[in-house]
Amino acid sequence: MQHTEIFGIIGNPLGHSLSPRLHNWAFKQRKYAAIFKAWSLEKSQLADFVVGMRTLKLAGACVTIPYKESIIPLLDEISPRAKSIGAVNTLYWQGDKLCGENTDVDGFKLPLLKRAKPTSALILGAGGAARAVIVGLRELGIAQIRIANRNAEKAEALAQEFDIDTVSWHKREQNCASWIINTTPLGMHGSYAELSPYDFSLYNGQCQQDKLAYDLVYNPLQTKFLYDAKQAGLVVQDGLDMFVGQAIKQMQIWTNSSTDIDKTREFLLEIRK
Ligand code: NAP
């Protein structure tokens, strides 16, 4: 009988996670004998989960909020990229070693790879996702990376750690950047839906070419941030490709095979209806 590998996602809450349906669909597509489960954990259960993963030899896992940082000391090794971001979103085995990787950078870069690279980008927000965005922009060779955050101290700390500049949250529209990237949850389905982290009527981008507004939020696909950016003449990029890209990289790590980007995006659009 064929051995079925067991994968899953850990986090809390997991109610709206698309990962189980996406990964189960992807395994089925390539006739890979595996299932993908959702394990909602309390903080006190995290260490026990890792012991269980080692004992049962679970094949791999996604890690999401709030465990992306706290999982790190429980692992044998993490990649240089996960180390520079300070967060892990993927668990996998290398021989007997339980390892951690961060695929958010691959996801973030995916829709940008074919675009002309500008000299400047402004990041809105200074949480976990912003860290992956900074590393991604660095890898793409963007020279001037600036960050604005509601809590100025957090922006300052991140700017120091990564040697980038800060912009005052209150003057963020006065900054002249080609790419404006939203890493806050503003615009997300629910109580944030009507909000945007940026007033494009004040956008000071006349001096820039290749103007792009990139929203990491993907539910809904068209946020207020992207709607306003389009009205102001910017090219827009929603967050679904990032989600697709980070998941495709996870599948590659686990199964050593590639997944079609367009089909994956189509599948996600279908299940979100
Ligand atoms: P996080 O660590 O909680 O950081 C959230 C950031 O947003 C903080 O800098 C926070 O500022 C800011 N923020 C929150 N509420 C705000 C408000 N009302 N006004 C202004 N700023 C506010 O979250 P995260 O992990 O970075 O995730 C952020 C977003 O990215 C989420 O919507 C998540 O779904 C999305 N995301 C998408 C993908 C993808 O694949 N597309 C991947 C990762 C994350 P303060 O410091 O002032 O609190």
Side-chain angles (χ1 to χ4, degrees):
M1 206 174 82
Q2 198 177 13
H3 170 69
T4 300
E5 293 186 349
I6 302 172
F7 294 82
I9 178 165
I10 58 169
N12 196 353
L14 286 180
H16 295 291
S17 174
L18 297 174
S19 296
R21 289 173 77 182
L22 174 61
H23 285 292
N24 279 317
W25 169 81
F27 288 140
K28 207 168 166 187
Q29 288 284 307
R30 62 167 69 104
K31 299 187 173 53
Y32 194 87
I35 54 165
F36 192 100
K37 311 278 289 177
W39 296 302
S40 177
L41 299 181
E42 295 303 325
K43 208 171 161 188
S44 59
Q45 296 174 306
L46 186 64
D48 285 346
F49 170 80
V50 175
V51 173
M53 182 163 184
R54 292 176 189 276
T55 311
L56 300 171
K57 273 277 177 186
L58 301 181
C62 301
V63 183
T64 188
I65 292 170
Y67 302 127
K68 286 181 169 188
E69 292 91 20
S70 49
I71 193 84
I72 291 175
L74 304 169
L75 306 177
D76 299 321
E77 257 176 33
I78 67 168
S79 70
R81 207 191 233 177
K83 199 174 272 176
S84 63
I85 299 167
V88 154
N89 75 339
T90 310
L91 306 185
Y92 66 101
W93 291 97
Q94 214 163 48
D96 285 341
K97 285 187 177 158
L98 184 57
C99 302
E101 178 56 282
N102 191 309
T103 66
D104 281 338
V105 176
D106 297 280
F108 169 70
K109 283 180 3 185
L110 180 73
L112 300 174
L113 294 175
K114 289 188 190 142
R115 289 192 189 279
K117 305 298 175 290
T119 51
S120 62
L122 174 66
I123 302 168
L124 306 169
R131 301 176 72 89
V133 168
I134 296 171
V135 173
L137 291 172
R138 274 263 163 77
E139 289 183 10
L140 289 170
I142 308 303
Q144 291 170 359
I145 305 171
R146 301 192 184 111
I147 190 158
N149 192 50
R150 179 179 61 174
N151 175 336
E153 278 177 20
K154 257 168 82 175
E156 201 54 58
L158 216 55
Q160 274 197 13
E161 182 180 340
F162 287 95
D163 194 20
I164 59 174
D165 294 320
T166 54
V167 166
S168 154
W169 182 250
H170 303 290
K171 294 185 179 164
R172 59 199 183 279
E173 285 90 0
Q174 292 170 25
N175 187 262
C176 192
S178 290
W179 288 356
I180 317 277
I181 302 159
N182 176 33
T183 76
T184 78
L186 298 190
M188 213 161 94
H189 181 69
S191 57
Y192 287 135
E194 303 302 319
L195 303 177
S196 167
Y198 199 86
D199 182 351
F200 279 98
S201 67
L202 305 174
Y203 177 52
N204 178 22
Q206 292 81 351
C207 55
Q208 299 292 349
Q209 301 206 321
D210 305 312
K211 290 178 269 191
L212 170 81
Y214 187 162
D215 203 335
L216 266 56
V217 173
Y218 57 86
N219 187 15
L221 282 187
Q222 179 165 274
T223 55
K224 178 166 169 45
F225 174 75
L226 292 189
Y227 178 84
D228 292 349
K230 212 174 199 171
Q231 300 297 312
L234 281 81
V235 173
V236 296
Q237 173 62 52
D238 64 60
L240 194 62
D241 286 349
M242 174 169 176
F243 184 72
V244 167
Q246 60 82 29
I248 284 180
K249 181 69 186 178
Q250 291 176 322
M251 293 180 220
Q252 193 201 332
I253 290 170
W254 293 330
T255 68
N256 203 18
S257 59
S258 55
T259 310
D260 186 273
I261 295 169
D262 294 335
K263 273 192 190 161
T264 308
R265 187 177 161 98
E266 252 172 57
F267 174 76
L268 282 169
L269 287 174
E270 191 56 38
I271 64 171
R272 283 174 74 259
K273 278 179 190 163

